[in-house]
Amino acid sequence: MSILAVILIILLITVIDMLPLIKSKQRKEAAVLIALGLITIAYGCYYSTHRYSASLVNVLFELLNMR
Amino acid sequence: MKTDKDKISVRQLFFVFTIIVSSPATRFLSKYMAVNAKQAGWVSPLVCTIPFLALLFIIDSLLKKYQDHSMSDIIEILMGRFIGRLVCVFYLLMTIYFTAMYTRYYVERLTSSIYPYINNSLLIILTLIPIAYMLRSGFTVIARMSEVLLPFIGAMLIMLSSFLVSKVRTDNVLPVYFNDIVPIVKSSLAPAAILAFLFYLFFLSDNIVNLKSLKPFGYITAYVNISSITLLSFITIGVLGASLTERSPMPTLAVVKQISLMDTIENIEAIIVAIWIFADFTLITTFFVIALNLIKSIFRLSDTKPLINTLAVFMYFLSMGICSTKFELEEFSTKVLIPLNLILGYVFPAVLFVLSKLKKNNPAQSNEKG
């Protein structure tokens, strides 16, 4: 999956969920949804560029210095 | 506003708990016990009885003192707003990690048992779409489904065990000496870490009714879970032997494949695969709901339904990128997650219990008096 496709899919899903929140003026929920969408885009882009080497577990092992 | 219809009972919660324990129990417990305590491994779940009952007592005491509060509220009351929220954020990260990890384990188990030529990505999508759809109806659906299906799972476990009892070799499970005490205690860490999931379930405590019966149902749950884990490990180690169990990638499946009734009924491993699929589905959904509830508590949201789809997409990428091979994930679970889960599931609730005893008044009660 290319980066553009990842961004488009996440944006589409987030916007669809965002519309009823904007209509009902649930600002806090909308803000959390935007934050979650941005985190998903960031991790999705990271995954799509490191598809064969991405390993959160390896990153955590290095952070914890446990190997 | 939530009505009682949207809430689940303690009994249903313990049904869900028993199902979510069965998934990791069938996946790796027998193997872990065989590695650490060899032929005496099957005794180790019995050691977990004491910490599990202590955890039940602590949760009951906290929920009695702070009625109608979720566990995240109780943490904030006892530890202060800033530290309390920080702790809740850590639990949220752990819950999200568990959801992604169990999704990946589920998919890896399917690809290594029945669907070897199917892409992980497709199986993850096929898992997360029904979960996201089902969660729109609330957690009550999963709780009721567990209530219906748990008796069947129990019956299947008893049936499979009765078929396999004749194949158990006594020299595979005996002798158990005094020298085995240390390895038994060491191998009891894994079942204890899995049973610590009980504490995570009480982040949903504002959605649970009839909390007064927590202790009696808790005792029954402790008995059912510990005896079933003991039975499962006894059968697995007893049939395969410790050395084969520790080398086998899926010892439970290997044992079930050996069932043969009068040379006519064979290959009934489909039963265990069906149990896995349902147990993993419940496990992933439960952690998903806990994550949503923690987000709701941390950000003081009124509704989390709009977050379900985006969180499911995030879970997809996280479970795909959590590891490059299954072995990394297993190593991380054994080296890091078991000790961490023991701290989060037993030590931290004990700290909360001490703090609740040191704190004289419940703020809700003092407000009422004022």
Side-chain angles (χ1 to χ4, degrees):
Chain A
M1 205 186 287
S2 70
I3 294 179
L4 191 67
V6 169
I7 294 172
L8 277 177
I9 289 169
I10 299 167
L11 270 180
L12 189 73
I13 291 170
T14 313
V15 167
I16 289 169
D17 282 333
M18 183 79 74
L19 291 173
L21 292 177
I22 293 168
K23 272 183 193 168
S24 56
K25 290 184 180 172
Q26 289 175 291
R27 286 173 194 159
K28 228 192 244 179
E29 282 78 4
V32 174
L33 184 60
I34 291 171
L36 190 62
L38 288 176
I39 293 169
T40 312
I41 287 175
Y43 193 78
C45 291
Y46 168 76
Y47 173 73
S48 58
T49 50
H50 297 77
R51 191 172 303 169
Y52 300 105
S53 58
S55 171
L56 182 68
V57 165
N58 263 344
V59 174
L60 290 171
F61 263 131
E62 275 172 28
L63 277 176
L64 300 166
N65 204 12
M66 284 194 74
R67 247 181 196 165
Chain B
M1 193 181 163
K2 275 191 173 175
T3 57
D4 274 4
K5 209 177 150 190
D6 303 321
K7 295 187 173 187
I8 61 167
S9 66
V10 172
R11 198 168 70 104
Q12 286 173 325
L13 187 83
F14 281 123
F15 272 89
V16 172
F17 174 69
T18 308
I19 289 175
I20 67 174
V21 164
S22 72
S23 167
T26 49
R27 181 171 46 81
F28 88 105
L29 276 190
S30 321
K31 195 172 174 174
Y32 186 88
M33 289 167 194
V35 168
N36 287 295
K38 308 291 174 195
Q39 83 285 352
W42 61 276
V43 187
S44 54
L46 301 175
V47 182
C48 306
T49 315
I50 303 159
F52 186 70
L53 290 179
L55 180 65
L56 263 178
F57 174 76
I58 289 170
I59 292 171
D60 183 59
S61 162
L62 286 171
L63 292 177
K64 262 185 191 156
K65 195 169 180 184
Y66 301 96
Q67 287 171 10
D68 300 325
H69 285 91
S70 74
M71 197 52 83
S72 45
D73 291 339
I74 297 173
I75 292 171
E76 275 191 30
I77 291 167
L78 290 172
M79 304 190 92
R81 184 177 270 190
F82 180 71
I83 299 175
R85 280 203 184 176
L86 218 59
V87 170
C88 288
V89 167
F90 188 68
Y91 271 101
L92 171 67
L93 293 177
M94 284 302 295
T95 315
I96 289 174
Y97 179 83
F98 280 133
T99 316
M101 183 184 81
Y102 282 115
T103 310
R104 185 60 184 257
Y105 268 136
Y106 166 69
V107 166
E108 291 284 351
R109 191 149 65 174
L110 284 183
T111 47
S112 55
S113 60
I114 49 171
Y115 298 126
Y117 303 111
I118 292 188
N119 194 351
N120 279 353
S121 168
L122 180 70
L123 285 172
I124 291 176
I125 291 171
L126 289 176
T127 312
L128 289 173
I129 289 175
I131 288 175
Y133 179 74
M134 217 164 170
L135 283 179
R136 297 200 163 266
S137 321
F139 188 56
T140 42
V141 179
I142 297 290
R144 284 177 199 153
M145 204 168 78
S146 306
E147 204 175 6
V148 173
L149 287 172
L150 185 66
F152 290 103
I153 293 178
M156 281 177 198
L157 179 71
I158 292 167
M159 191 184 77
L160 294 177
S161 306
S162 59
F163 291 160
L164 286 162
V165 157
S166 58
K167 291 183 186 287
V168 173
R169 286 177 53 185
T170 46
D171 57 326
N172 282 342
V173 284
L174 290 172
V176 181
Y177 288 123
F178 278 113
N179 292 351
D180 292 321
I181 289 175
V182 176
I184 285 171
V185 171
K186 205 176 160 192
S187 74
S188 72
L189 295 179
I194 289 170
L195 292 171
F197 284 153
L198 184 71
F199 183 70
Y200 288 80
L201 287 182
F202 282 91
F203 281 107
L204 304 169
S205 59
D206 52 340
N207 296 321
I208 303 168
V209 290
N210 197 18
L211 279 165
K212 282 175 191 169
S213 52
L214 194 144
K215 263 188 186 171
F217 281 124
Y219 294 144
I220 298 167
T221 309
Y223 174 74
V224 169
N225 279 295
I226 290 168
S227 55
S228 56
I229 294 173
T230 310
L231 179 69
L232 194 78
S233 46
F234 178 80
I235 296 281
T236 312
I237 297 172
V239 173
L240 292 181
S243 59
L244 204 56
T245 307
E246 66 185 271
R247 283 170 182 80
S248 171
M250 282 188 283
T252 315
L253 192 70
V255 168
V256 174
K257 275 183 177 174
Q258 293 197 13
I259 292 176
S260 168
L261 279 177
M262 293 173 281
D263 293 330
T264 48
I265 300 170
E266 285 176 338
N267 298 327
I268 54 171
E269 62 269 15
I271 294 176
I272 201 92
V273 174
I275 294 175
W276 280 348
I277 291 173
F278 176 66
D280 278 326
F281 186 80
T282 311
L283 177 67
I284 297 163
T285 314
T286 309
F287 275 112
F288 205 112
V289 172
I290 297 170
L292 285 173
N293 220 48
L294 275 165
I295 293 173
K296 189 180 173 183
S297 303
I298 292 165
F299 298 104
R300 303 270 172 234
L301 304 180
S302 57
D303 186 18
T304 50
K305 270 182 194 166
L307 305 179
I308 292 173
N309 291 337
T310 314
L311 193 61
V313 176
F314 181 60
M315 289 301 174
Y316 165 77
F317 286 116
L318 200 61
S319 50
M320 286 297 289
I322 201 165
C323 62
S324 44
T325 65
K326 189 179 130 187
F327 305 107
E328 276 177 3
L329 203 57
E330 283 175 346
E331 191 188 355
F332 189 76
S333 300
T334 316
K335 282 188 179 169
V336 182
L337 283 185
I338 290 175
L340 191 62
N341 220 21
L342 289 172
I343 294 169
L344 293 175
Y346 294 101
V347 179
F348 183 72
V351 172
L352 283 182
F353 178 70
V354 173
L355 286 175
S356 77
K357 290 291 166 197
L358 291 173
K359 210 161 193 168
K360 282 176 189 168
N361 256 336
N362 170 354
Q365 283 171 355
S366 54
N367 281 345
E368 278 168 22
K369 279 176 194 170

